[in-house]
Amino acid sequence: MRRIAFGLICAGVVVFALALREVRSDERLPPQQRRMSFHNRLLLNRAMLAGLSRIEVLLLLDRAPEAAGAFSAVAASLGTLEGRILSTDPSIGYARVELPPDRLFDLVDTPVIEAYQISSLSRGAWYRDGPPEANATMFRGYEVTPITGTEPSSEYANLPELTPAEARAPGFTADEDAGVGEWMRRHPTFDGRGVTIAILENALPSFADPVFRTALTLEGQEVPKIAGILNTIDPAHIDDTRVRLTIPVDASTSWTRVDTRTYVFPAPGKYWLGMLEIPAGDSAVNRFAVIERDDTGQVWIDANGDASFQDEAPLADVNERFEPRFLKVRYPQPLDVSFVMSRAAEPHVVHIYPGRSSHQSMTASVAAGNRTDESLASGVAPGARLLFVRMTTSADGLAGVMEGFLRAARRTDVDLLTSSHGLHLIPDTAADFVGLLFSRISEVYRKPIISAAGNFGLMLGHIQAHGGALSVGGTLGPETHAAFYGGVPLPGMIVHPTSAAGPAIDGSIKPDFLAPMERIAADPPWYRTLEAVPFANPTHRVPPGYEISCCTSASSPYAAGAIALLISAARQSNVPYSVELLSRALRVTARPIDGFQAHQQGNGALDIEAAWQELASGFAPPRIESTATILHSLAQYAARGPIGRGILEFGGWTAPMTDTRTITLRRTSGPAGPVSYTTAWTADDGTFSTPASVTLPPNTDVPLPVRIDVKKPGAHSGLLSLHDPASGAVVFRTQATVVAPARTHAATGTVEITGTLATMHQNAHYLHVPPGADALALELEVARGVLNATLLQAHGLVSTYYMPVHPMDIFSVGPGTYHLVMPNPEPGTWTLRLKNASVRFPAKLMLGPRDDALAEYTVRMRILDVDVTAKPQARTVSLDLHNRGAALTEPVIEAWQGSRRTHRAAFAASGVSNVIDLDVP
């Protein structure tokens, strides 16, 4: 038997292999073997391969009293390493530094550095730090994408248009799913007034949309909805809203020629001139001249492109007065694009923000859009204000993202921060850089951070956890499903199949809670993203300028709006609140969703009224900490390694199997004597049990045995709560998750799994691949319905990192049999996630068939050995694939074909011989 190495087939895998090979040599690691995250390994290797002479690194320094000289120690260390400090925030121990990449290990050996993250070559988003070539190709197209409208469809012309009154129904707002509709009826002034939400993204919403007109002060006085724009993009980095007015113009008369064009200035005088360029596709651009009068500082823009400023009024700085105007974009089609202006800190530099972003319009309108008779869209907290924080561009870096949170939190007018940026660094634990940074921001600046949990399709352990931030997943209710999709109804609320599943790699409960994902939201007025509803049998036409809010990018601002409601209510009712009390109230009152385990839903679905009652009760629990052992392939890269906050064992179990694990509890506040707490498990399937109570003396480690009884293969999880003996209130909560993968039969080397999936649901099947396997063969037989498939390898990296390597959730397959062979499969636990959600998109947007019927399927897995035989023909070999331990009686798909050995990125058609001939180049 001969093992064959098929080779690496995509740039992403090459980078991954380099990362593992180079950093595992440990030649340059300091003696104490400080753990290095996977993401830092990836970025350092790229920096070295790219030949960067210097890299930026973000640091979090020890804030203990004995580390009072931390910044001085780092500065001194950098002085010997040819480095320098670029920016700091001493209140949270943050520094951004620059140094040669080959001196990084010398720097992080400094004892006062608690966590670090390379920011060079990172954009900090879940897809942007994947394969460099794929991202470069994507952004080359993005950089020239024009602002252009969507042509109307004649298909729905005869349908009645959806009205604002109809769009306020629960199905179109999802407000009844979280209790927001009833909240507004019972508490009409608890509408977010007096609260400002910082929304961190690109700051390019459709500024003139009716949803962004007014907010309310705590006293009920109207103020502009938009409180301003905070731009945190480093002036040295690219920002396409930045206009440098570098051309001096001495206009002795109003009509003055500048370069190749004659402009009509407002009056004779001295000016500075620059150009705003907006892509128009390919090599074309729309250009708008911008001028600043030297003596008064007034700014004008030639918004209609006629080369005259005399028909334009001076622009207001959006941070002084919200006064949106319009650019007349001419190409590729005439459009009026709203915009605002702000001045930069540098002289003769301004920012022109065109309101072109569909995503930013959506997130902002969901959080706090006005409710008016002019718009179908509205927000959860219509009385709240919005501060837009521009921290992302098509060429943004991780440093701008991180410092966006810091600068927004320092604003005294900001009450909470929310982001749908998709920030995903690996691993993502409370002790790694982002988790620690967010915890410190909330602790020091006393403001909640709400972040999107990610859109990983409920893949276990794939979530944007972010430590001390509130990570929010998504729900979908039956009324919302009926309003937008129609067809087969949902029997009740579900965890949205696009949402992210926990727990975090350190075993923390994530997501913290769930919020509705879909409602009618604002879109730039030239888009017809949503043409008619419901998709299955349209009854209403939707005018341009609206979309269905999507993904956890919408759940996060929905939750932010709900928190704004709670803060507004607390201020009007004189109820004390804090970051800790708000977070606890939202988590412990979240409603478990039937049919879903703890890892899929965290604490459960948001319940705004229950959270308010809990907050108003004034109950303050003691501080309790937990530790447990983690078994996960990415834990080796985490700051605390295998030490976590809850039980997480991704593999290592078989079914049936019974064993005991330990969660160690430590109470660090509360009564001076021992306190006994009752224990309870929720959102579980009966796998876990503990003693009925546990007694915790102060500042003492107490082991709590957890009996785990795995009866069948699959994932098993549950929430463990400690309850106050007097009131029954939840004082502490942690979780446990174990995975028992299906194992192939010893004699046949195969395993077979059958299942069914209702519409908008998903199943995950876990498969054990033993060491030494030559190939893994998967067969998916769809007997009924339509499925999406995603395969995750045992290394545990999110599938969006290396999309070409295996099937991804980007297409649908109907009835039939589909095969895939993976060579040299990594040993461990693999995940095959199947989803029945083809109805989420109109038929014309689907890659594959669309069907909401109950799906029925069978999955077969084989572990294969490979024999390689040279053929008489020159440079040709045959691969004979056969089951380990038994003859292969059914055909297996050819996974590589031709001289290029082209890998198929999807399940392919069946019927190919077991013997594959390859021409070796």
Side-chain angles (χ1 to χ4, degrees), residues 293-334:
R293 189 172 175 100
D294 189 64
D295 55 354
T296 66
Q298 289 178 297
V299 176
W300 290 262
I301 187 170
D302 180 20
N304 58 16
D306 65 354
S308 173
F309 297 99
Q310 290 192 351
D311 56 358
E312 306 284 357
L315 298 176
D317 188 320
V318 68
N319 293 301
E320 299 171 359
R321 186 171 74 252
F322 178 59
E323 189 178 277
R325 302 264 290 278
F326 290 92
L327 296 172
K328 296 284 186 181
V329 172
R330 305 293 185 186
Y331 189 82
Q333 68 182 96

mmCIF file of all heavy atoms in Angstrom, residues 293-334:
data_model
loop_
_atom_site.group_PDB
_atom_site.id
_atom_site.type_symbol
_atom_site.label_atom_id
_atom_site.label_comp_id
_atom_site.label_asym_id
_atom_site.label_seq_id
_atom_site.Cartn_x
_atom_site.Cartn_y
_atom_site.Cartn_z
ATOM 1 N N ARG A 293 -12.193 78.307 0.864
ATOM 2 C CA ARG A 293 -11.728 79.691 0.831
ATOM 3 C C ARG A 293 -10.669 79.876 1.911
ATOM 4 O O ARG A 293 -10.876 79.502 3.072
ATOM 5 C CB ARG A 293 -12.881 80.660 1.039
ATOM 6 C CG ARG A 293 -12.469 82.115 0.803
ATOM 7 C CD ARG A 293 -13.656 83.054 0.821
ATOM 8 N NE ARG A 293 -13.197 84.436 0.705
ATOM 9 C CZ ARG A 293 -13.206 85.154 -0.408
ATOM 10 N NH1 ARG A 293 -13.667 84.602 -1.528
ATOM 11 N NH2 ARG A 293 -12.772 86.395 -0.427
ATOM 12 N N ASP A 294 -9.542 80.444 1.542
ATOM 13 C CA ASP A 294 -8.393 80.507 2.425
ATOM 14 C C ASP A 294 -8.651 81.363 3.660
ATOM 15 O O ASP A 294 -8.207 81.006 4.761
ATOM 16 C CB ASP A 294 -7.178 81.053 1.657
ATOM 17 C CG ASP A 294 -5.897 80.943 2.467
ATOM 18 O OD1 ASP A 294 -5.493 79.813 2.761
ATOM 19 O OD2 ASP A 294 -5.328 81.996 2.824
ATOM 20 N N ASP A 295 -9.358 82.480 3.525
ATOM 21 C CA ASP A 295 -9.514 83.394 4.658
ATOM 22 C C ASP A 295 -10.655 83.014 5.590
ATOM 23 O O ASP A 295 -10.584 83.200 6.800
ATOM 24 C CB ASP A 295 -9.684 84.842 4.171
ATOM 25 C CG ASP A 295 -10.833 84.997 3.187
ATOM 26 O OD1 ASP A 295 -11.419 83.963 2.792
ATOM 27 O OD2 ASP A 295 -11.145 86.144 2.806
ATOM 28 N N THR A 296 -11.736 82.407 5.059
ATOM 29 C CA THR A 296 -12.897 82.074 5.896
ATOM 30 C C THR A 296 -13.000 80.587 6.224
ATOM 31 O O THR A 296 -13.701 80.220 7.167
ATOM 32 C CB THR A 296 -14.202 82.500 5.195
ATOM 33 O OG1 THR A 296 -14.383 81.704 4.010
ATOM 34 C CG2 THR A 296 -14.169 83.987 4.828
ATOM 35 N N GLY A 297 -12.330 79.745 5.451
ATOM 36 C CA GLY A 297 -12.431 78.304 5.667
ATOM 37 C C GLY A 297 -13.710 77.688 5.136
ATOM 38 O O GLY A 297 -13.940 76.484 5.337
ATOM 39 N N GLN A 298 -14.570 78.476 4.455
ATOM 40 C CA GLN A 298 -15.789 77.919 3.890
ATOM 41 C C GLN A 298 -15.452 76.918 2.792
ATOM 42 O O GLN A 298 -14.478 77.077 2.050
ATOM 43 C CB GLN A 298 -16.668 79.036 3.321
ATOM 44 C CG GLN A 298 -17.326 79.915 4.373
ATOM 45 C CD GLN A 298 -18.145 81.014 3.731
ATOM 46 O OE1 GLN A 298 -17.598 81.875 3.018
ATOM 47 N NE2 GLN A 298 -19.438 81.000 3.970
ATOM 48 N N VAL A 299 -16.304 75.876 2.692
ATOM 49 C CA VAL A 299 -16.075 74.791 1.743
ATOM 50 C C VAL A 299 -17.281 74.682 0.807
ATOM 51 O O VAL A 299 -18.429 74.743 1.247
ATOM 52 C CB VAL A 299 -15.856 73.448 2.472
ATOM 53 C CG1 VAL A 299 -15.708 72.305 1.474
ATOM 54 C CG2 VAL A 299 -14.631 73.524 3.372
ATOM 55 N N TRP A 300 -16.986 74.526 -0.486
ATOM 56 C CA TRP A 300 -18.015 74.290 -1.488
ATOM 57 C C TRP A 300 -17.656 73.036 -2.283
ATOM 58 O O TRP A 300 -16.484 72.667 -2.379
ATOM 59 C CB TRP A 300 -18.100 75.447 -2.502
ATOM 60 C CG TRP A 300 -18.643 76.740 -2.006
ATOM 61 C CD1 TRP A 300 -19.905 77.219 -2.134
ATOM 62 C CD2 TRP A 300 -17.893 77.779 -1.349
ATOM 63 N NE1 TRP A 300 -20.007 78.483 -1.595
ATOM 64 C CE2 TRP A 300 -18.782 78.853 -1.099
ATOM 65 C CE3 TRP A 300 -16.565 77.908 -0.938
ATOM 66 C CZ2 TRP A 300 -18.392 80.024 -0.466
ATOM 67 C CZ3 TRP A 300 -16.170 79.077 -0.312
ATOM 68 C CH2 TRP A 300 -17.080 80.122 -0.070
ATOM 69 N N ILE A 301 -18.660 72.433 -2.887
ATOM 70 C CA ILE A 301 -18.430 71.346 -3.834
ATOM 71 C C ILE A 301 -19.270 71.611 -5.072
ATOM 72 O O ILE A 301 -20.402 72.119 -4.976
ATOM 73 C CB ILE A 301 -18.777 69.966 -3.227
ATOM 74 C CG1 ILE A 301 -18.366 68.837 -4.181
ATOM 75 C CG2 ILE A 301 -20.251 69.853 -2.874
ATOM 76 C CD1 ILE A 301 -18.444 67.437 -3.572
ATOM 77 N N ASP A 302 -18.714 71.326 -6.221
ATOM 78 C CA ASP A 302 -19.448 71.460 -7.471
ATOM 79 C C ASP A 302 -20.324 70.223 -7.640
ATOM 80 O O ASP A 302 -20.020 69.309 -8.403
ATOM 81 C CB ASP A 302 -18.454 71.606 -8.631
ATOM 82 C CG ASP A 302 -19.154 71.742 -9.984
ATOM 83 O OD1 ASP A 302 -20.347 72.102 -10.002
ATOM 84 O OD2 ASP A 302 -18.504 71.444 -11.010
ATOM 85 N N ALA A 303 -21.431 70.208 -6.918
ATOM 86 C CA ALA A 303 -22.248 68.992 -6.785
ATOM 87 C C ALA A 303 -22.944 68.600 -8.077
ATOM 88 O O ALA A 303 -23.247 67.425 -8.284
ATOM 89 C CB ALA A 303 -23.277 69.174 -5.673
ATOM 90 N N ASN A 304 -23.219 69.569 -8.966
ATOM 91 C CA ASN A 304 -23.906 69.223 -10.212
ATOM 92 C C ASN A 304 -22.957 69.114 -11.393
ATOM 93 O O ASN A 304 -23.381 68.857 -12.517
ATOM 94 C CB ASN A 304 -25.027 70.229 -10.519
ATOM 95 C CG ASN A 304 -24.509 71.652 -10.627
ATOM 96 O OD1 ASN A 304 -23.298 71.883 -10.760
ATOM 97 N ND2 ASN A 304 -25.412 72.615 -10.567
ATOM 98 N N GLY A 305 -21.663 69.324 -11.142
ATOM 99 C CA GLY A 305 -20.668 69.094 -12.178
ATOM 100 C C GLY A 305 -20.630 70.116 -13.285
ATOM 101 O O GLY A 305 -20.049 69.848 -14.349
ATOM 102 N N ASP A 306 -21.192 71.325 -13.064
ATOM 103 C CA ASP A 306 -21.195 72.326 -14.133
ATOM 104 C C ASP A 306 -20.020 73.291 -14.044
ATOM 105 O O ASP A 306 -19.977 74.308 -14.741
ATOM 106 C CB ASP A 306 -22.509 73.110 -14.135
ATOM 107 C CG ASP A 306 -22.697 73.952 -12.871
ATOM 108 O OD1 ASP A 306 -21.866 73.843 -11.939
ATOM 109 O OD2 ASP A 306 -23.689 74.699 -12.805
ATOM 110 N N ALA A 307 -19.050 72.998 -13.164
ATOM 111 C CA ALA A 307 -17.837 73.799 -12.998
ATOM 112 C C ALA A 307 -18.122 75.195 -12.445
ATOM 113 O O ALA A 307 -17.301 76.100 -12.582
ATOM 114 C CB ALA A 307 -17.054 73.909 -14.305
ATOM 115 N N SER A 308 -19.255 75.342 -11.782
ATOM 116 C CA SER A 308 -19.583 76.618 -11.146
ATOM 117 C C SER A 308 -19.916 76.367 -9.678
ATOM 118 O O SER A 308 -20.672 75.448 -9.350
ATOM 119 C CB SER A 308 -20.775 77.276 -11.829
ATOM 120 O OG SER A 308 -21.187 78.424 -11.093
ATOM 121 N N PHE A 309 -19.323 77.200 -8.803
ATOM 122 C CA PHE A 309 -19.645 77.126 -7.378
ATOM 123 C C PHE A 309 -20.656 78.192 -6.968
ATOM 124 O O PHE A 309 -21.090 78.219 -5.822
ATOM 125 C CB PHE A 309 -18.370 77.302 -6.547
ATOM 126 C CG PHE A 309 -17.347 76.214 -6.768
ATOM 127 C CD1 PHE A 309 -16.275 76.416 -7.611
ATOM 128 C CD2 PHE A 309 -17.494 74.979 -6.158
ATOM 129 C CE1 PHE A 309 -15.340 75.411 -7.833
ATOM 130 C CE2 PHE A 309 -16.570 73.972 -6.366
ATOM 131 C CZ PHE A 309 -15.489 74.179 -7.214
ATOM 132 N N GLN A 310 -21.037 79.050 -7.943
ATOM 133 C CA GLN A 310 -21.953 80.137 -7.596
ATOM 134 C C GLN A 310 -23.389 79.655 -7.443
ATOM 135 O O GLN A 310 -24.219 80.353 -6.864
ATOM 136 C CB GLN A 310 -21.853 81.247 -8.641
ATOM 137 C CG GLN A 310 -20.526 81.992 -8.585
ATOM 138 C CD GLN A 310 -20.517 83.258 -9.399
ATOM 139 O OE1 GLN A 310 -21.440 83.538 -10.163
ATOM 140 N NE2 GLN A 310 -19.462 84.059 -9.243
ATOM 141 N N ASP A 311 -23.674 78.469 -7.981
ATOM 142 C CA ASP A 311 -25.012 77.900 -7.774
ATOM 143 C C ASP A 311 -25.009 76.860 -6.652
ATOM 144 O O ASP A 311 -25.937 76.058 -6.526
ATOM 145 C CB ASP A 311 -25.548 77.282 -9.064
ATOM 146 C CG ASP A 311 -24.610 76.223 -9.650
ATOM 147 O OD1 ASP A 311 -23.527 75.995 -9.066
ATOM 148 O OD2 ASP A 311 -24.957 75.633 -10.689
ATOM 149 N N GLU A 312 -23.955 76.874 -5.817
ATOM 150 C CA GLU A 312 -23.838 75.968 -4.685
ATOM 151 C C GLU A 312 -23.727 76.771 -3.397
ATOM 152 O O GLU A 312 -23.103 77.835 -3.369
ATOM 153 C CB GLU A 312 -22.602 75.069 -4.810
ATOM 154 C CG GLU A 312 -22.498 74.297 -6.112
ATOM 155 C CD GLU A 312 -23.441 73.115 -6.183
ATOM 156 O OE1 GLU A 312 -24.143 72.849 -5.183
ATOM 157 O OE2 GLU A 312 -23.488 72.466 -7.246
ATOM 158 N N ALA A 313 -24.325 76.255 -2.307
ATOM 159 C CA ALA A 313 -24.203 76.889 -0.997
ATOM 160 C C ALA A 313 -22.997 76.291 -0.260
ATOM 161 O O ALA A 313 -22.618 75.146 -0.508
ATOM 162 C CB ALA A 313 -25.473 76.675 -0.185
ATOM 163 N N PRO A 314 -22.367 77.043 0.638
ATOM 164 C CA PRO A 314 -21.276 76.469 1.435
ATOM 165 C C PRO A 314 -21.774 75.241 2.204
ATOM 166 O O PRO A 314 -22.929 75.171 2.623
ATOM 167 C CB PRO A 314 -20.896 77.609 2.387
ATOM 168 C CG PRO A 314 -21.365 78.851 1.711
ATOM 169 C CD PRO A 314 -22.602 78.456 0.964
ATOM 170 N N LEU A 315 -20.884 74.282 2.370
ATOM 171 C CA LEU A 315 -21.246 73.034 3.030
ATOM 172 C C LEU A 315 -21.141 73.161 4.548
ATOM 173 O O LEU A 315 -20.227 73.803 5.065
ATOM 174 C CB LEU A 315 -20.323 71.905 2.567
ATOM 175 C CG LEU A 315 -20.359 71.552 1.079
ATOM 176 C CD1 LEU A 315 -19.314 70.483 0.775
ATOM 177 C CD2 LEU A 315 -21.748 71.079 0.667
ATOM 178 N N ALA A 316 -22.066 72.507 5.240
ATOM 179 C CA ALA A 316 -22.001 72.427 6.699
ATOM 180 C C ALA A 316 -21.194 71.198 7.093
ATOM 181 O O ALA A 316 -21.298 70.145 6.462
ATOM 182 C CB ALA A 316 -23.404 72.337 7.286
ATOM 183 N N ASP A 317 -20.384 71.341 8.146
ATOM 184 C CA ASP A 317 -19.698 70.186 8.715
ATOM 185 C C ASP A 317 -20.745 69.347 9.437
ATOM 186 O O ASP A 317 -21.466 69.839 10.304
ATOM 187 C CB ASP A 317 -18.608 70.645 9.681
ATOM 188 C CG ASP A 317 -17.719 69.508 10.163
ATOM 189 O OD1 ASP A 317 -18.249 68.412 10.432
ATOM 190 O OD2 ASP A 317 -16.513 69.719 10.289
ATOM 191 N N VAL A 318 -20.832 68.061 9.097
ATOM 192 C CA VAL A 318 -21.864 67.202 9.669
ATOM 193 C C VAL A 318 -21.734 67.104 11.182
ATOM 194 O O VAL A 318 -22.718 66.825 11.886
ATOM 195 C CB VAL A 318 -21.817 65.796 9.031
ATOM 196 C CG1 VAL A 318 -20.544 65.047 9.420
ATOM 197 C CG2 VAL A 318 -23.050 64.980 9.401
ATOM 198 N N ASN A 319 -20.540 67.370 11.711
ATOM 199 C CA ASN A 319 -20.356 67.329 13.162
ATOM 200 C C ASN A 319 -20.818 68.615 13.842
ATOM 201 O O ASN A 319 -20.837 68.693 15.071
ATOM 202 C CB ASN A 319 -18.899 67.044 13.491
ATOM 203 C CG ASN A 319 -18.481 65.652 13.070
ATOM 204 O OD1 ASN A 319 -19.068 64.670 13.525
ATOM 205 N ND2 ASN A 319 -17.504 65.550 12.185
ATOM 206 N N GLU A 320 -21.193 69.603 13.034
ATOM 207 C CA GLU A 320 -21.761 70.841 13.568
ATOM 208 C C GLU A 320 -23.238 70.989 13.219
ATOM 209 O O GLU A 320 -24.023 71.518 14.002
ATOM 210 C CB GLU A 320 -20.978 72.037 13.015
ATOM 211 C CG GLU A 320 -19.504 72.033 13.401
ATOM 212 C CD GLU A 320 -18.705 73.094 12.670
ATOM 213 O OE1 GLU A 320 -19.312 73.830 11.840
ATOM 214 O OE2 GLU A 320 -17.489 73.200 12.905
ATOM 215 N N ARG A 321 -23.614 70.523 12.033
ATOM 216 C CA ARG A 321 -25.009 70.631 11.598
ATOM 217 C C ARG A 321 -25.279 69.550 10.562
ATOM 218 O O ARG A 321 -24.506 69.399 9.596
ATOM 219 C CB ARG A 321 -25.274 72.020 10.995
ATOM 220 C CG ARG A 321 -26.729 72.258 10.646
ATOM 221 C CD ARG A 321 -26.986 73.706 10.260
ATOM 222 N NE ARG A 321 -26.484 74.049 8.924
ATOM 223 C CZ ARG A 321 -25.434 74.811 8.697
ATOM 224 N NH1 ARG A 321 -24.743 75.313 9.719
ATOM 225 N NH2 ARG A 321 -25.056 75.106 7.461
ATOM 226 N N PHE A 322 -26.343 68.787 10.762
ATOM 227 C CA PHE A 322 -26.695 67.742 9.801
ATOM 228 C C PHE A 322 -27.534 68.355 8.709
ATOM 229 O O PHE A 322 -28.668 68.769 8.928
ATOM 230 C CB PHE A 322 -27.449 66.602 10.490
ATOM 231 C CG PHE A 322 -27.885 65.515 9.537
ATOM 232 C CD1 PHE A 322 -26.952 64.831 8.779
ATOM 233 C CD2 PHE A 322 -29.222 65.181 9.409
ATOM 234 C CE1 PHE A 322 -27.346 63.840 7.895
ATOM 235 C CE2 PHE A 322 -29.627 64.179 8.539
ATOM 236 C CZ PHE A 322 -28.687 63.506 7.777
ATOM 237 N N GLU A 323 -26.959 68.419 7.514
ATOM 238 C CA GLU A 323 -27.624 69.070 6.389
ATOM 239 C C GLU A 323 -27.241 68.335 5.111
ATOM 240 O O GLU A 323 -26.354 68.758 4.369
ATOM 241 C CB GLU A 323 -27.195 70.533 6.321
ATOM 242 C CG GLU A 323 -27.959 71.379 5.334
ATOM 243 C CD GLU A 323 -27.488 72.819 5.380
ATOM 244 O OE1 GLU A 323 -27.965 73.563 6.263
ATOM 245 O OE2 GLU A 323 -26.615 73.191 4.560
ATOM 246 N N PRO A 324 -27.861 67.189 4.837
ATOM 247 C CA PRO A 324 -27.474 66.412 3.650
ATOM 248 C C PRO A 324 -27.771 67.157 2.361
ATOM 249 O O PRO A 324 -28.758 67.885 2.252
ATOM 250 C CB PRO A 324 -28.315 65.138 3.778
ATOM 251 C CG PRO A 324 -29.472 65.522 4.643
ATOM 252 C CD PRO A 324 -28.950 66.559 5.587
ATOM 253 N N ARG A 325 -26.900 66.989 1.402
ATOM 254 C CA ARG A 325 -27.049 67.560 0.057
ATOM 255 C C ARG A 325 -26.965 66.427 -0.956
ATOM 256 O O ARG A 325 -26.862 65.250 -0.590
ATOM 257 C CB ARG A 325 -25.946 68.591 -0.174
ATOM 258 C CG ARG A 325 -25.929 69.723 0.853
ATOM 259 C CD ARG A 325 -26.669 70.939 0.378
ATOM 260 N NE ARG A 325 -25.934 71.574 -0.700
ATOM 261 C CZ ARG A 325 -24.891 72.408 -0.526
ATOM 262 N NH1 ARG A 325 -24.475 72.690 0.706
ATOM 263 N NH2 ARG A 325 -24.283 72.946 -1.560
ATOM 264 N N PHE A 326 -26.959 66.772 -2.255
ATOM 265 C CA PHE A 326 -26.970 65.743 -3.294
ATOM 266 C C PHE A 326 -25.897 65.985 -4.339
ATOM 267 O O PHE A 326 -25.701 67.126 -4.798
ATOM 268 C CB PHE A 326 -28.345 65.697 -3.988
ATOM 269 C CG PHE A 326 -29.433 65.166 -3.106
ATOM 270 C CD1 PHE A 326 -30.192 66.042 -2.342
ATOM 271 C CD2 PHE A 326 -29.696 63.808 -3.024
ATOM 272 C CE1 PHE A 326 -31.195 65.567 -1.519
ATOM 273 C CE2 PHE A 326 -30.696 63.326 -2.198
ATOM 274 C CZ PHE A 326 -31.443 64.193 -1.443
ATOM 275 N N LEU A 327 -25.198 64.918 -4.707
ATOM 276 C CA LEU A 327 -24.287 64.913 -5.840
ATOM 277 C C LEU A 327 -25.053 64.440 -7.071
ATOM 278 O O LEU A 327 -25.814 63.464 -7.005
ATOM 279 C CB LEU A 327 -23.115 63.957 -5.593
ATOM 280 C CG LEU A 327 -22.162 64.288 -4.451
ATOM 281 C CD1 LEU A 327 -21.203 63.124 -4.234
ATOM 282 C CD2 LEU A 327 -21.385 65.562 -4.741
ATOM 283 N N LYS A 328 -24.826 65.114 -8.196
ATOM 284 C CA LYS A 328 -25.438 64.702 -9.448
ATOM 285 C C LYS A 328 -24.469 63.761 -10.170
ATOM 286 O O LYS A 328 -23.575 64.191 -10.891
ATOM 287 C CB LYS A 328 -25.737 65.914 -10.327
ATOM 288 C CG LYS A 328 -26.754 66.882 -9.760
ATOM 289 C CD LYS A 328 -28.171 66.331 -9.889
ATOM 290 C CE LYS A 328 -29.196 67.358 -9.455
ATOM 291 N NZ LYS A 328 -30.592 66.842 -9.556
ATOM 292 N N VAL A 329 -24.624 62.476 -9.918
ATOM 293 C CA VAL A 329 -23.792 61.488 -10.598
ATOM 294 C C VAL A 329 -24.344 61.298 -12.008
ATOM 295 O O VAL A 329 -25.549 61.086 -12.190
ATOM 296 C CB VAL A 329 -23.792 60.157 -9.818
ATOM 297 C CG1 VAL A 329 -23.099 59.059 -10.612
ATOM 298 C CG2 VAL A 329 -23.112 60.344 -8.470
ATOM 299 N N ARG A 330 -23.487 61.376 -13.026
ATOM 300 C CA ARG A 330 -23.930 61.315 -14.417
ATOM 301 C C ARG A 330 -23.746 59.945 -15.058
ATOM 302 O O ARG A 330 -24.462 59.601 -15.995
ATOM 303 C CB ARG A 330 -23.150 62.344 -15.254
ATOM 304 C CG ARG A 330 -23.216 63.764 -14.738
ATOM 305 C CD ARG A 330 -24.608 64.340 -14.842
ATOM 306 N NE ARG A 330 -24.643 65.751 -14.443
ATOM 307 C CZ ARG A 330 -25.766 66.460 -14.343
ATOM 308 N NH1 ARG A 330 -26.929 65.890 -14.611
ATOM 309 N NH2 ARG A 330 -25.717 67.724 -13.976
ATOM 310 N N TYR A 331 -22.752 59.189 -14.595
ATOM 311 C CA TYR A 331 -22.379 57.972 -15.299
ATOM 312 C C TYR A 331 -22.191 56.824 -14.299
ATOM 313 O O TYR A 331 -21.672 57.069 -13.213
ATOM 314 C CB TYR A 331 -21.073 58.203 -16.083
ATOM 315 C CG TYR A 331 -20.713 57.073 -17.006
ATOM 316 C CD1 TYR A 331 -21.300 56.980 -18.261
ATOM 317 C CD2 TYR A 331 -19.808 56.108 -16.627
ATOM 318 C CE1 TYR A 331 -20.980 55.942 -19.113
ATOM 319 C CE2 TYR A 331 -19.485 55.051 -17.472
ATOM 320 C CZ TYR A 331 -20.074 54.979 -18.710
ATOM 321 O OH TYR A 331 -19.763 53.943 -19.548
ATOM 322 N N PRO A 332 -22.653 55.617 -14.576
ATOM 323 C CA PRO A 332 -23.222 55.135 -15.840
ATOM 324 C C PRO A 332 -24.686 55.498 -16.053
ATOM 325 O O PRO A 332 -25.222 55.222 -17.119
ATOM 326 C CB PRO A 332 -23.048 53.612 -15.735
ATOM 327 C CG PRO A 332 -23.066 53.327 -14.283
ATOM 328 C CD PRO A 332 -22.411 54.498 -13.622
ATOM 329 N N GLN A 333 -25.334 56.122 -15.053
ATOM 330 C CA GLN A 333 -26.679 56.621 -15.250
ATOM 331 C C GLN A 333 -26.901 57.779 -14.299
ATOM 332 O O GLN A 333 -26.259 57.867 -13.239
ATOM 333 C CB GLN A 333 -27.721 55.521 -15.019
ATOM 334 C CG GLN A 333 -27.830 55.057 -13.575
ATOM 335 C CD GLN A 333 -28.838 53.940 -13.399
ATOM 336 O OE1 GLN A 333 -28.489 52.775 -13.389
ATOM 337 N NE2 GLN A 333 -30.102 54.307 -13.266
ATOM 338 N N PRO A 334 -27.781 58.715 -14.631
ATOM 339 C CA PRO A 334 -28.005 59.875 -13.759
ATOM 340 C C PRO A 334 -28.654 59.461 -12.437
ATOM 341 O O PRO A 334 -29.661 58.759 -12.427
ATOM 342 C CB PRO A 334 -28.947 60.762 -14.584
ATOM 343 C CG PRO A 334 -28.819 60.281 -15.989
ATOM 344 C CD PRO A 334 -28.535 58.810 -15.899
#
